[in-house]
Amino acid sequence: MKYLISTLWMILLLASTVWAASEVSDSLSVLEAGVKAAPKDGDAWVRLGNAYLDAEEIQKADKAFRKGIRYAKSAEAYVGLGRVYMAMGPTRARNGLKYFRMARAKDRKSIEAELYLARAKVMLRDLDAEDAFRRVIEMAPDYAPVYLELAQWYTNHNLEMYYDEIQPLYKKYLSLRPNDVDALYGLALSYTEQQDYRPVVNIAETALEKHPQEARLVALVAQGHAALGDPDLALKFFQQYLQLIPSEERALYEDLRLVARPEEL
C-alpha cells in the first residue's frame, strides 16, 4: 500500500511538472499568435517579451522587446530590453542602464524603471544603487520588496556607517510582510553585527515558532545564548541545528580530525 501511494505521488508530481511546462508553452503560443495577427501592436510584443524572459529564451525576448520599442515606445518596452541585458549576466548588465533611463524618461512615474535601474546597479556593484532604491521608496512607500533589497544591499557591502539604516528597513518590510523568514533572519543577523544578542534571541525564537525547520534561525539562537552566558541552552540549540542540516554538512562539525591537533584527538 505504501509503495502504491508513493508511486501515485510520483505520478502526480511528474504530471504537475508537465502541466506547468505545458501551460508556459500554451501561453507563449497564444502570445505568438497574437503578434502574428497584429504585428504592429507594441504592447503585444512587450507581453510576449516578458513571457520569453520567464521562459529564459533571452534572444527571442530581445527581438520581442525591440519590436515593442519600435511600435509602442513605451516605458515597459524599454524596461524589458534592459532586463534582457541583465539576464545576460553582470558583464552585459551595464548595457541595460541606458534602457532603464530611457524608460524613466518616457514615464517619470514608472516604478519598474527605477527598480530595475537599482537592481542593475547592484549587479554592477555601483554605489549609486542606494539612490535608485531610495527613489523607489519615495515613489511607492508601500512597495515591500524595495526595503528588503536595500537592506540586503547595505549588508552585502558591509557599510558600517549604514548600520543604523539597516534595521529600520527590515522593520518597515516586516510591517508589510510580517512572516517573511528572510527578513526576520536578516534583522536578527544585523544585531549580531552590533554584538547586541538579546534582540537576536528574541527575534529568532519568535520566528522559529512559525518556521521551526529554519536551521539558520536555530544557529542564531544558539549563538545568542552562548554570547549571553548560557552555554547549556546554546548547546541544546547547536545540537538541534546539527539535526536540521544535511548529513554531509553535519560531518564537517562532527569530525574533529578536520580541526584538531593529534594530541587533542
Side-chain angles (χ1 to χ4, degrees):
M1 186 64 179
K2 276 186 178 179
Y3 175 78
L4 177 59
I5 292 171
S6 176
T7 303
L8 287 171
W9 273 113
M10 284 299 296
I11 292 170
L12 287 171
L13 181 62
L14 287 168
S16 66
T17 304
V18 172
W19 290 331
S22 177
E23 284 178 8
V24 171
S25 177
D26 288 346
S27 62
L28 280 173
S29 298
V30 170
L31 291 169
E32 286 168 342
V35 296
K36 281 185 179 179
K40 294 186 178 182
D41 185 340
D43 293 335
W45 281 107
V46 171
R47 288 192 292 273
L48 179 58
N50 284 323
Y52 280 140
L53 268 183
D54 290 341
E56 299 182 355
E57 296 193 36
I58 308 303
Q59 296 305 319
K60 288 183 178 180
D62 181 286
K63 292 178 182 178
F65 286 125
R66 290 184 189 279
K67 292 276 190 178
I69 290 172
R70 178 179 178 184
Y71 294 118
K73 293 184 173 60
S74 62
E76 292 80 4
Y78 287 107
V79 168
L81 191 53
R83 288 176 62 207
V84 165
Y85 283 107
M86 286 180 67
M88 293 177 183
T91 56
R92 301 295 302 277
R94 189 168 299 280
N95 294 332
L97 294 178
K98 69 176 180 180
Y99 292 104
F100 297 132
R101 294 190 180 107
M102 291 168 77
R104 188 170 61 185
K106 282 285 177 184
D107 181 3
R108 289 289 175 184
K109 296 181 179 179
S110 173
I111 297 169
E112 243 194 350
E114 208 68 63
L115 184 62
Y116 277 104
L117 181 62
R119 288 172 176 171
K121 288 184 175 184
V122 169
M123 288 183 74
L124 296 166
R125 299 184 177 277
D126 188 332
L127 293 179
D128 286 344
E130 179 194 2
D131 292 336
F133 280 129
R134 290 290 180 187
R135 283 193 293 271
V136 177
I137 290 172
E138 287 178 14
M139 295 166 67
D142 290 332
Y143 183 69
V146 68
Y147 294 99
L148 184 60
E149 290 184 49
L150 181 54
Q152 291 173 337
W153 182 82
Y154 283 140
T155 302
N156 292 338
H157 281 74
N158 197 26
L159 302 175
E160 294 184 15
M161 70 190 86
Y162 292 123
Y163 277 156
D164 291 340
E165 302 280 354
I166 293 172
Q167 288 162 7
L169 287 167
Y170 277 122
K171 289 174 181 178
K172 176 62 178 179
Y173 178 83
L174 286 165
S175 73
L176 297 167
R177 296 186 180 177
N179 294 320
D180 188 296
V181 69
D182 290 329
L184 289 165
Y185 175 77
L187 178 59
L189 189 64
S190 72
Y191 282 102
T192 68
E193 298 292 337
Q194 299 173 326
Q195 298 183 350
D196 186 1
Y197 290 99
R198 179 55 61 192
V200 173
V201 171
N202 292 340
I203 294 165
E205 285 188 339
T206 301
L208 277 172
E209 291 175 6
K210 293 187 177 179
H211 307 280
Q213 300 302 309
E214 280 286 338
R216 54 185 172 163
L217 291 173
V218 176
L220 277 183
V221 173
Q223 182 183 352
H225 283 303
L228 291 169
D230 194 338
D232 292 333
L233 198 51
L235 182 59
K236 171 190 167 185
F237 280 102
F238 277 128
Q239 288 171 334
Q240 182 181 339
Y241 171 76
L242 290 176
Q243 295 307 308
L244 289 171
I245 61 177
S247 58
E248 60 272 16
E249 188 178 343
R250 189 185 313 132
L252 300 176
Y253 292 92
E254 295 178 335
D255 188 352
L256 294 178
R257 291 173 300 174
L258 299 172
V259 293
R261 294 190 296 270
E263 61 272 22
E264 290 174 326
L265 282 173

